[in-house]
Amino acid sequence: MEQPEIKVNHIETKSVMTKSNTPIGGYSVNPYVGCPHACKYCYASFMKRFTGHTEEWGTFMDVKDWPEIKNPKKYAGQKVIIGTVTDGYNPLEETYKNTRRLLEELKDSGADILICTKSDLVLRDLDLLKEINENSRLTVSWSINTLNEEFKDDMDAAVSIERRLAAMKEVYAAGIRTICFISPVFPGITDIEAIIDRTKDQCDLVWLENLNLRGGFKADIMKYISDKHPDLVPLYDEIYNKKNRSYFEALEKKAEELAKKYDCRFVDNETPYERVEKGHPTIVDYFYHEEVRGTANSGKRNVIHNP
């Protein structure tokens, strides 16, 4: 996918820190609104409802300006997640440096900082990341749900999978905790075993999250499957129209078997903070986001009554 032309706006916000409702809780911090990666499956496109944007997702970017965080110590020990509804290391970060500014403001906070990205621009700030990592918990996560660059190009305008893998390897080698976030898992397309085998020596955690088609993009994804993978139409119909969970239930069992194969821990909706022995990342089951939302990464799930 080619990088779309981006309409850039500048906005002022009272604070860049927002309480998070992600499964792992803490604070969500997004230095931008919108995301040039334009992922076809991006649940964050719902942000348009709250920001007044009518443009197509991936074609606009609001660059935030916020008052300096004057008491960063108040976040000591708190989980701070950078990039829950945008990628802080999107291409415009090269120009505006909002994410670097944010990290500089938080570097002595003692916060437990998690950076979520699909980019290798994070390597620009490796000096700063090493400094933060000396005194605080720091983790960098890359979303990698395929090793097939053609499928990746069909889904997003971010950097190649190979560039993401190279960046993960370099950050891991720098002594910083890394995550391979296999998300979203596309039924019949995402090969979790191949990805784990490729990344197990350069990450501490593997997160698994299923493709969620509750957003307005469901029709686009179903059309893509019909056009590019017509053999998978019956499977997607079973999962996303008939609410049949057997595919992902079987995949959960497979993930647990892979954990045994690679001598890894397998946990459900729970992310322990740890560095693990190389080659043995902890595999975390976050399938069915609606069941883990608001559970504060406790290992418990919400009870959902499907229609």
Side-chain angles (χ1 to χ4, degrees), residues 10-76:
H10 294 266
I11 62 172
E12 294 186 358
T13 59
K14 293 181 179 178
S15 174
V16 73
M17 309 294 289
T18 304
K19 288 292 288 183
S20 171
N21 66 352
T22 66
I24 55 180
Y27 287 82
S28 292
V29 193
N30 293 285
Y32 304 93
V33 177
C35 185
H37 293 339
C39 303
K40 287 185 177 177
Y41 48 77
C42 185
Y43 67 87
S45 57
F46 75 88
M47 291 295 293
K48 290 170 58 175
R49 298 202 306 265
F50 303 107
T51 58
H53 283 283
T54 57
E55 308 95 319
E56 186 177 350
W57 181 252
T59 65
F60 64 89
M61 175 71 81
D62 292 346
V63 181
K64 290 184 179 178
D65 186 23
W66 63 87
E68 181 183 359
I69 301 173
K70 293 186 176 179
N71 183 21
K73 293 288 187 185
K74 69 181 288 187
Y75 301 108

Side-chain angles (χ1 to χ4, degrees), residues 45-175:
S45 57
F46 75 88
M47 291 295 293
K48 290 170 58 175
R49 298 202 306 265
F50 303 107
T51 58
H53 283 283
T54 57
E55 308 95 319
E56 186 177 350
W57 181 252
T59 65
F60 64 89
M61 175 71 81
D62 292 346
V63 181
K64 290 184 179 178
D65 186 23
W66 63 87
E68 181 183 359
I69 301 173
K70 293 186 176 179
N71 183 21
K73 293 288 187 185
K74 69 181 288 187
Y75 301 108
Q78 298 280 331
K79 178 77 76 179
V80 173
I81 310 166
I82 300 175
T84 56
V85 290
T86 187
D87 189 330
Y89 283 103
N90 69 79
L92 275 70
E93 167 66 13
E94 289 189 72
T95 300
Y96 298 105
K97 299 182 175 61
N98 261 12
T99 299
R100 179 152 186 120
R101 171 194 165 191
L102 176 65
L103 289 171
E104 288 173 339
E105 292 183 356
L106 291 173
K107 71 181 178 65
D108 297 319
S109 66
D112 181 352
I113 298 173
L114 167 62
I115 299 170
C116 302
T117 186
K118 287 188 171 102
S119 175
D120 55 359
L121 182 58
V122 65
L123 295 176
R124 179 201 64 186
D125 294 340
L126 191 55
D127 59 335
L128 180 57
L129 299 182
K130 289 179 180 177
E131 185 179 352
I132 294 171
N133 197 47
E134 289 179 359
N135 300 311
S136 301
R137 289 180 171 184
L138 174 66
T139 309
V140 185
S141 163
W142 283 266
S143 296
I144 296 172
N145 71 348
T146 182
L147 299 178
N148 183 316
E149 300 286 2
E150 183 177 350
F151 176 66
K152 173 266 159 199
D153 287 342
D154 285 345
M155 288 294 123
D156 68 58
V159 302
S160 69
I161 298 299
E162 284 303 313
R163 285 175 61 176
R164 298 179 206 181
L165 290 168
M168 182 193 297
K169 185 176 183 179
E170 188 168 344
V171 171
Y172 180 83

Side-chain angles (χ1 to χ4, degrees), residues 112-247:
D112 181 352
I113 298 173
L114 167 62
I115 299 170
C116 302
T117 186
K118 287 188 171 102
S119 175
D120 55 359
L121 182 58
V122 65
L123 295 176
R124 179 201 64 186
D125 294 340
L126 191 55
D127 59 335
L128 180 57
L129 299 182
K130 289 179 180 177
E131 185 179 352
I132 294 171
N133 197 47
E134 289 179 359
N135 300 311
S136 301
R137 289 180 171 184
L138 174 66
T139 309
V140 185
S141 163
W142 283 266
S143 296
I144 296 172
N145 71 348
T146 182
L147 299 178
N148 183 316
E149 300 286 2
E150 183 177 350
F151 176 66
K152 173 266 159 199
D153 287 342
D154 285 345
M155 288 294 123
D156 68 58
V159 302
S160 69
I161 298 299
E162 284 303 313
R163 285 175 61 176
R164 298 179 206 181
L165 290 168
M168 182 193 297
K169 185 176 183 179
E170 188 168 344
V171 171
Y172 180 83
I176 296 169
R177 197 171 77 137
T178 60
I179 296 173
C180 177
F181 191 13
I182 306 180
S183 173
V185 172
F186 273 73
I189 297 175
T190 300
D191 185 342
I192 66 169
E193 182 171 5
I195 296 171
I196 293 173
D197 189 63
R198 178 71 185 275
T199 60
K200 62 183 174 59
D201 291 327
Q202 58 185 65
C203 67
D204 299 278
L205 291 154
V206 173
W207 285 358
L208 296 167
E209 184 181 54
N210 60 303
L211 174 66
N212 185 334
L213 292 187
R214 290 178 182 271
F217 48 81
K218 177 179 178 179
D220 293 337
I221 296 297
M222 295 298 264
K223 183 176 187 311
Y224 172 82
I225 294 300
S226 177
D227 291 345
K228 293 290 189 76
H229 299 276
D231 55 312
L232 294 177
V233 168
L235 175 62
Y236 278 67
D237 181 54
E238 280 291 321
I239 297 172
Y240 296 107
N241 292 329
K242 298 176 182 174
K243 311 301 181 187
N244 184 336
R245 294 171 55 124
S246 60
Y247 179 87

